Amino acid sequence: MKIHGTSERTSGQVLPRFDLEQAGPLFGLWSIFREPAVVEVSAAEGFDWICVDGQHGHAELGDYKAIFEAAHNFGVPSGVRVPSHEVGHIGRAMDAGARLIIIPTVESGEQAKTLVEACRYAPRGKRSYGPTRTIPRYPSEVVGAVETDPKVALMVETVKGYENLDEILAAGPDAIFVGPYDLAISHGWSLEELTYGDKQYVLRDIAARATAAGVVPGLYAGDLDLAKAMVEIGFKFMPIATDGALITTAAQSLLNAR
């Protein structure tokens, strides 16, 4: 679709797809900083995907485009956990080039339907067309093509969200993303009980029901050992570290070696 007043020239760079269907687990980086250089250095090392934490991290809406492009320069798909259900923010994040939108605290089928529709063009949704922030860097994509849509992942992280899981899955998101810290707190459990203990059945159930519904299950791990354990029970994509934790770990390792 031609947008009048835009250049016919582009860099030729193509927005990378976040392919949830590819074989094997997808291990990502969770970015809490707002500096594109941090993401650029990390993307160069070959993470499968990178997510900016727009809910609890430092980045603001105006930072997203430069951060996404820092990852996309290395062919690493990047996205954001948006801070809320505000559809205007979600739309602008997609216009900035997000290949993944993670939406926190989804607790009902009605919420899920509204949020999925906000991420997809008509007739499948209600997303407004306005991709000018990705022009002229990227060639124009076919509007509404399924293969170029950003992936939408709805977070299940409360008792209510878990109780309404089937309704949430029925809304047709690309993925479910479990927030284990809040899910454990909501149930009155410790994180260890949920992830490794006798409450792990909840995570197994979520992964199994999502997979049966054709929805890819993901989970915030933040640790490689936990991520591997979650792969064993059916989860597909997880961040294995935050950029802040990588700096802390490297600093501790260096100082402990003195």
Side-chain angles (χ1 to χ4, degrees):
M1 181 180 294
K2 171 66 177 176
I3 298 178
H4 296 288
T6 58
S7 175
E8 296 289 345
R9 303 180 65 186
T10 73
S11 69
Q13 185 176 348
V14 177
L15 281 169
R17 290 185 62 211
F18 186 28
D19 185 4
L20 289 170
E21 304 305 321
Q22 71 183 66
L26 298 168
F27 290 149
L29 176 73
W30 200 256
S31 180
I32 63 173
F33 296 128
R34 68 188 300 175
E35 290 79 11
V38 175
V39 167
E40 182 175 52
V41 170
S42 303
E45 298 306 316
F47 284 96
D48 293 318
W49 56 285
I50 291 175
C51 184
V52 177
D53 189 351
Q55 183 181 27
H56 295 300
H58 300 170
E60 301 292 345
L61 179 59
D63 300 318
Y64 293 169
K65 183 174 185 289
I67 295 173
F68 297 157
E69 289 178 353
H72 295 167
N73 285 338
F74 291 89
V76 179
S78 64
V80 58
R81 174 170 69 173
V82 293
S84 70
H85 295 186
E86 205 277 300
V87 296
H89 190 111
I90 292 170
R92 291 186 66 186
M94 290 186 291
D95 287 349
R99 309 311 294 142
L100 168 69
I101 298 288
I102 298 178
I103 305 175
T105 323
V106 179
E107 298 188 308
S108 72
E110 183 179 358
Q111 283 183 338
K113 181 177 183 294
T114 297
L115 294 167
V116 170
E117 287 180 342
C119 296
R120 294 176 179 162
Y121 292 115
R124 295 182 299 121
K126 299 180 180 178
R127 178 183 172 185
S128 175
Y129 181 63
T132 52
R133 297 189 72 198
T134 60
I135 295 173
R137 178 181 291 268
Y138 305 104
S140 297
E141 297 178 328
V142 178
V143 177
V146 175
E147 61 272 16
T148 61
D149 276 345
K151 301 300 183 184
V152 52
L154 305 181
M155 290 195 73
V156 172
E157 50 185 345
T158 63
V159 169
K160 187 174 180 181
Y162 178 52
E163 289 175 345
N164 292 327
L165 178 62
D166 289 337
E167 293 179 15
I168 293 169
L169 292 169
D174 298 292
I176 288 294
F177 194 73
V178 175
Y181 289 87
D182 282 325
L183 187 58
I185 291 170
S186 181
H187 279 90
W189 304 333
S190 70
L191 179 65
E192 291 72 22
E193 287 177 302
L194 178 63
T195 52
Y196 289 109
D198 62 357
K199 309 303 182 183
Q200 193 191 74
Y201 71 87
V202 170
L203 298 181
R204 292 178 179 272
D205 182 49
I206 292 172
R209 287 159 65 187
T211 301
V215 177
V216 179
L219 176 141
Y220 179 86
D223 172 84
L224 183 57
D225 289 337
L226 178 57
K228 289 179 176 179
M230 295 300 100
V231 170
E232 291 299 315
I233 67 172
F235 287 92
K236 178 66 183 288
F237 70 105
M238 289 140 290
I240 56 175
T242 68
D243 45 15
L246 289 178
I247 293 172
T248 299
T249 301
Q252 290 172 345
S253 177
L254 179 63
L255 293 173
N256 290 339
R258 288 180 296 178

